[in-house]
Amino acid sequence: EPRSLGGAPSCLASHLLLVVRATMAKKRRRDPDDAGGSSTRGPPVATTSGRLGGGAGASDDWQTARRSWAAIAEVLGPAAREKRIWMPFYYDGACAEHLRELGFTRVHHKREDFFVQVRNPKFLKKVDLILDNPPYTSPEMKEAVLRALASTGKPFVMLLPISVLHVGFAREVLDTDKLQAVVPRRVYVRKTGGEEVPFKYLCWLCCGVRLKRDLILIDDDDDAAAAD
Protein backbone atom coordinates (compact mmCIF):
# COMPACT_ATOMS: atom_id res chain seq x y z
CA GLU A 1 0.00 0.00 0.00
CA PRO A 2 1.45 3.45 -0.89
CA ARG A 3 2.60 5.39 2.18
CA SER A 4 3.52 8.98 2.90
CA LEU A 5 6.94 10.04 4.22
CA GLY A 6 5.60 9.80 7.76
CA GLY A 7 4.57 6.15 7.37
CA ALA A 8 0.79 6.80 7.23
CA PRO A 9 -1.14 5.68 4.14
CA SER A 10 -1.15 8.32 1.42
CA CYS A 11 -4.67 8.86 0.01
CA LEU A 12 -3.22 10.84 -2.92
CA ALA A 13 -0.77 8.09 -3.86
CA SER A 14 -3.52 5.48 -3.65
CA HIS A 15 -5.77 7.61 -5.85
CA LEU A 16 -3.04 8.10 -8.45
CA LEU A 17 -2.37 4.37 -8.52
CA LEU A 18 -6.05 3.68 -9.20
CA VAL A 19 -6.09 6.28 -11.98
CA VAL A 20 -3.05 4.71 -13.65
CA ARG A 21 -4.58 1.23 -13.46
CA ALA A 22 -7.88 2.48 -14.91
CA THR A 23 -6.09 4.28 -17.75
CA MET A 24 -4.09 1.17 -18.65
CA ALA A 25 -7.24 -0.97 -18.61
CA LYS A 26 -9.03 1.55 -20.85
CA LYS A 27 -6.12 1.55 -23.29
CA ARG A 28 -6.23 -2.25 -23.50
CA ARG A 29 -9.95 -2.16 -24.22
CA ARG A 30 -9.36 0.33 -27.05
CA ASP A 31 -6.77 -1.87 -28.78
CA PRO A 32 -7.97 -2.09 -32.43
CA ASP A 33 -7.13 -5.80 -32.58
CA ASP A 34 -9.38 -6.53 -29.59
CA ALA A 35 -12.18 -4.03 -30.15
CA GLY A 36 -15.59 -5.13 -31.34
CA GLY A 37 -18.63 -3.46 -32.89
CA SER A 38 -18.84 -0.17 -34.72
CA SER A 39 -16.64 2.87 -34.36
CA THR A 40 -18.40 6.07 -33.38
CA ARG A 41 -16.05 8.92 -34.20
CA GLY A 42 -15.09 10.59 -37.46
CA PRO A 43 -15.45 9.84 -41.17
CA PRO A 44 -15.61 7.73 -43.20
CA VAL A 45 -16.17 4.09 -42.20
CA ALA A 46 -17.19 1.73 -39.43
CA THR A 47 -15.50 -1.36 -38.08
CA THR A 48 -16.75 -4.92 -38.07
CA SER A 49 -15.50 -7.03 -35.17
CA GLY A 50 -12.60 -4.63 -34.76
CA ARG A 51 -11.64 -4.90 -38.41
CA LEU A 52 -12.16 -2.29 -41.09
CA GLY A 53 -14.58 -3.21 -43.80
CA GLY A 54 -18.05 -1.95 -44.67
CA GLY A 55 -20.84 -1.25 -42.25
CA ALA A 56 -22.88 1.38 -40.52
CA GLY A 57 -21.40 3.40 -37.69
CA ALA A 58 -22.99 6.36 -35.97
CA SER A 59 -20.48 9.01 -37.04
CA ASP A 60 -18.11 7.13 -39.32
CA ASP A 61 -20.52 6.96 -42.25
CA TRP A 62 -19.24 9.67 -44.59
CA GLN A 63 -18.67 9.94 -48.30
CA THR A 64 -15.75 12.03 -49.53
CA ALA A 65 -17.22 14.48 -52.04
CA ARG A 66 -16.32 14.39 -55.72
CA ARG A 67 -14.67 17.82 -55.65
CA SER A 68 -12.17 16.62 -53.03
CA TRP A 69 -11.28 13.59 -55.13
CA ALA A 70 -10.87 15.90 -58.13
CA ALA A 71 -8.41 18.04 -56.20
CA ILE A 72 -6.11 15.15 -55.25
CA ALA A 73 -6.50 13.57 -58.71
CA GLU A 74 -5.09 16.71 -60.27
CA VAL A 75 -2.05 16.51 -58.00
CA LEU A 76 -1.48 12.83 -58.75
CA GLY A 77 -1.48 13.55 -62.48
CA PRO A 78 -2.70 11.71 -65.59
CA ALA A 79 -0.49 8.64 -65.02
CA ALA A 80 -2.40 7.78 -61.83
CA ARG A 81 -5.57 7.26 -63.85
CA GLU A 82 -4.00 4.19 -65.46
CA LYS A 83 -3.01 2.58 -62.17
CA ARG A 84 -4.87 -0.21 -60.42
CA ILE A 85 -6.40 1.62 -57.46
CA TRP A 86 -7.52 -0.03 -54.25
CA MET A 87 -9.98 1.94 -52.11
CA PRO A 88 -10.27 -0.23 -48.96
CA PHE A 89 -12.69 1.79 -46.80
CA TYR A 90 -16.24 1.30 -47.98
CA TYR A 91 -19.24 3.47 -47.10
CA ASP A 92 -21.85 3.65 -49.88
CA GLY A 93 -19.71 2.94 -52.94
CA ALA A 94 -20.00 6.48 -54.29
CA CYS A 95 -16.31 7.33 -53.83
CA ALA A 96 -15.31 4.77 -56.44
CA GLU A 97 -17.88 6.25 -58.81
CA HIS A 98 -16.37 9.68 -58.25
CA LEU A 99 -12.94 8.37 -59.20
CA ARG A 100 -14.28 6.61 -62.28
CA GLU A 101 -15.97 9.82 -63.40
CA LEU A 102 -12.58 11.51 -63.05
CA GLY A 103 -10.98 9.00 -65.43
CA PHE A 104 -9.74 6.28 -63.07
CA THR A 105 -10.75 3.13 -64.92
CA ARG A 106 -9.28 0.42 -62.66
CA VAL A 107 -10.76 0.96 -59.18
CA HIS A 108 -11.34 -1.82 -56.64
CA HIS A 109 -13.79 -0.73 -53.94
CA LYS A 110 -15.83 -3.41 -52.13
CA ARG A 111 -17.05 -4.38 -48.68
CA GLU A 112 -13.97 -6.30 -47.55
CA ASP A 113 -11.95 -6.74 -44.39
CA PHE A 114 -9.05 -4.32 -44.75
CA PHE A 115 -6.81 -6.12 -42.28
CA VAL A 116 -7.33 -9.40 -44.11
CA GLN A 117 -6.69 -7.99 -47.57
CA VAL A 118 -3.41 -6.31 -46.59
CA ARG A 119 -2.11 -9.79 -45.79
CA ASN A 120 -3.29 -11.27 -49.08
CA PRO A 121 -0.30 -11.35 -51.48
CA LYS A 122 -2.41 -12.60 -54.39
CA PHE A 123 -4.73 -9.62 -54.04
CA LEU A 124 -1.90 -7.12 -53.52
CA LYS A 125 -0.24 -8.16 -56.77
CA LYS A 126 -3.21 -6.54 -58.52
CA VAL A 127 -2.76 -3.21 -56.69
CA ASP A 128 -0.59 -0.31 -57.85
CA LEU A 129 -1.79 2.41 -55.48
CA ILE A 130 -3.89 2.46 -52.28
CA LEU A 131 -6.00 5.61 -52.20
CA ASP A 132 -8.71 6.44 -49.67
CA ASN A 133 -10.03 8.33 -46.66
CA PRO A 134 -9.52 5.98 -43.67
CA PRO A 135 -11.32 6.13 -40.32
CA TYR A 136 -10.46 8.70 -37.68
CA THR A 137 -11.82 6.55 -34.88
CA SER A 138 -8.84 6.82 -32.53
CA PRO A 139 -5.05 7.22 -32.52
CA GLU A 140 -4.80 3.46 -32.06
CA MET A 141 -6.84 2.80 -35.20
CA LYS A 142 -4.85 5.31 -37.28
CA GLU A 143 -1.65 3.64 -36.13
CA ALA A 144 -3.00 0.18 -36.96
CA VAL A 145 -4.02 1.36 -40.45
CA LEU A 146 -0.64 2.96 -41.14
CA ARG A 147 1.24 -0.10 -39.91
CA ALA A 148 -0.87 -2.31 -42.15
CA LEU A 149 -0.34 -0.04 -45.15
CA ALA A 150 3.42 0.05 -44.57
CA SER A 151 3.52 -3.74 -44.41
CA THR A 152 2.19 -4.00 -47.98
CA GLY A 153 5.12 -2.11 -49.50
CA LYS A 154 2.61 -0.43 -51.84
CA PRO A 155 2.46 3.32 -52.52
CA PHE A 156 -0.48 4.90 -50.76
CA VAL A 157 -2.34 8.19 -50.42
CA MET A 158 -4.47 8.54 -47.28
CA LEU A 159 -6.55 11.47 -46.09
CA LEU A 160 -5.71 12.00 -42.41
CA PRO A 161 -5.64 14.72 -39.76
CA ILE A 162 -2.59 16.88 -40.36
CA SER A 163 -1.38 15.97 -36.87
CA VAL A 164 -0.26 12.63 -38.34
CA LEU A 165 2.85 14.47 -39.57
CA HIS A 166 3.83 15.07 -35.96
CA VAL A 167 3.00 11.86 -34.15
CA GLY A 168 5.82 9.50 -33.27
CA PHE A 169 4.32 6.28 -34.60
CA ALA A 170 4.13 7.65 -38.16
CA ARG A 171 7.85 8.38 -38.10
CA GLU A 172 8.54 4.97 -36.64
CA VAL A 173 6.35 2.99 -39.04
CA LEU A 174 6.87 4.81 -42.34
CA ASP A 175 9.97 5.48 -44.44
CA THR A 176 10.25 9.24 -44.01
CA ASP A 177 12.38 9.53 -47.15
CA LYS A 178 9.30 8.45 -49.11
CA LEU A 179 6.76 10.66 -47.34
CA GLN A 180 5.08 13.66 -48.95
CA ALA A 181 2.03 15.69 -48.00
CA VAL A 182 -0.73 17.41 -49.93
CA VAL A 183 -2.59 19.95 -47.79
CA PRO A 184 -5.99 21.19 -48.99
CA ARG A 185 -7.70 24.24 -47.55
CA ARG A 186 -10.81 22.16 -46.99
CA VAL A 187 -12.02 18.65 -47.69
CA TYR A 188 -15.70 18.09 -48.36
CA VAL A 189 -17.62 15.07 -47.08
CA ARG A 190 -21.30 14.20 -46.97
CA LYS A 191 -23.83 11.70 -45.75
CA THR A 192 -25.56 9.75 -48.50
CA GLY A 193 -28.05 12.16 -50.05
CA GLY A 194 -27.00 14.95 -47.69
CA GLU A 195 -25.30 18.31 -48.07
CA GLU A 196 -21.53 18.61 -48.30
CA VAL A 197 -19.72 19.49 -45.08
CA PRO A 198 -16.23 21.09 -45.11
CA PHE A 199 -13.45 19.68 -42.92
CA LYS A 200 -10.22 21.54 -42.18
CA TYR A 201 -6.80 20.53 -40.80
CA LEU A 202 -6.50 17.44 -42.97
CA CYS A 203 -3.80 16.32 -45.36
CA TRP A 204 -3.30 13.66 -47.98
CA LEU A 205 -0.40 11.64 -46.59
CA CYS A 206 1.52 10.19 -49.54
CA CYS A 207 4.09 7.43 -49.27
CA GLY A 208 6.13 6.18 -52.23
CA VAL A 209 4.09 8.22 -54.71
CA ARG A 210 6.97 10.38 -56.04
CA LEU A 211 5.20 13.68 -56.43
CA LYS A 212 7.10 16.64 -57.87
CA ARG A 213 7.33 18.32 -54.46
CA ASP A 214 7.32 17.02 -50.90
CA LEU A 215 4.78 19.61 -49.74
CA ILE A 216 1.91 20.74 -51.95
CA LEU A 217 -0.72 23.24 -50.82
CA ILE A 218 -3.97 23.26 -52.77
CA ASP A 219 -6.89 25.67 -52.66
CA ASP A 220 -10.46 24.49 -52.99
CA ASP A 221 -12.76 25.63 -55.77
CA ASP A 222 -14.31 28.39 -53.65
CA ASP A 223 -10.87 29.99 -53.29
CA ALA A 224 -10.26 29.72 -57.04
CA ALA A 225 -13.61 31.38 -57.78
CA ALA A 226 -12.80 34.21 -55.37
CA ALA A 227 -9.43 34.75 -57.07
CA ASP A 228 -11.18 35.15 -60.43
Side-chain angles (χ1 to χ4, degrees):
E1 181 181 47
R3 294 183 175 273
S4 65
L5 292 178
S10 168
C11 293
L12 177 60
S14 298
H15 177 71
L16 290 175
L17 182 59
L18 290 173
V19 170
V20 169
R21 287 174 176 170
T23 301
M24 292 176 67
K26 183 178 180 181
K27 184 176 181 180
R28 285 194 295 271
R29 289 195 300 270
R30 291 172 59 189
D31 189 308
D33 287 332
D34 297 329
S38 294
S39 305
T40 58
R41 296 195 296 273
V45 77
T47 63
T48 54
S49 301
R51 304 294 184 181
L52 298 182
S59 298
D60 284 337
D61 294 341
W62 294 90
Q63 173 204 133
T64 309
R66 185 183 187 279
R67 66 163 104 178
S68 294
W69 291 115
I72 188 61
E74 184 175 351
V75 173
L76 295 175
R81 289 170 167 80
E82 304 301 320
K83 294 183 181 297
R84 297 170 295 180
I85 306 293
W86 179 29
M87 303 181 76
F89 307 109
Y90 194 95
Y91 168 39
D92 60 4
C95 289
E97 292 305 314
H98 295 329
L99 279 191
R100 293 183 183 113
E101 290 171 2
L102 293 166
F104 292 79
T105 59
R106 307 166 78 184
V107 180
H108 182 91
H109 186 51
K110 297 181 179 180
R111 291 186 185 274
E112 297 171 324
D113 189 322
F114 168 71
F115 288 109
V116 169
Q117 290 293 63
V118 292
R119 297 194 298 269
N120 183 345
K122 184 177 179 180
F123 171 75
L124 290 174
K125 285 182 180 179
K126 303 175 183 178
V127 174
D128 298 318
L129 175 67
I130 308 173
L131 170 63
D132 217 331
N133 180 352
Y136 307 158
T137 51
S138 67
E140 291 85 0
M141 184 59 75
K142 285 193 286 289
E143 179 176 355
V145 169
L146 286 179
R147 288 186 181 278
L149 289 169
S151 72
T152 69
K154 296 289 183 177
F156 67 79
V157 178
M158 292 286 120
L159 184 66
L160 291 164
I162 200 167
S163 59
V164 74
L165 300 174
H166 184 266
V167 294
F169 68 76
R171 304 179 188 207
E172 171 197 343
V173 170
L174 304 175
D175 185 345
T176 56
D177 290 336
K178 296 180 179 179
L179 286 184
Q180 297 172 303
V182 179
V183 184
R185 277 286 311 282
R186 288 173 288 192
V187 174
Y188 291 85
V189 300
R190 67 193 304 171
K191 299 286 187 179
T192 301
E195 297 294 325
E196 292 182 356
V197 178
F199 276 67
K200 292 185 176 182
Y201 312 116
L202 303 176
C203 73
W204 293 97
L205 183 68
C206 307
C207 185
V209 181
R210 299 182 180 179
L211 301 175
K212 293 181 179 179
R213 300 195 307 275
D214 289 339
L215 177 63
I216 298 176
L217 307 180
I218 54 177
D219 294 328
D220 59 30
D221 48 14
D222 290 344
D223 294 323
D228 293 340

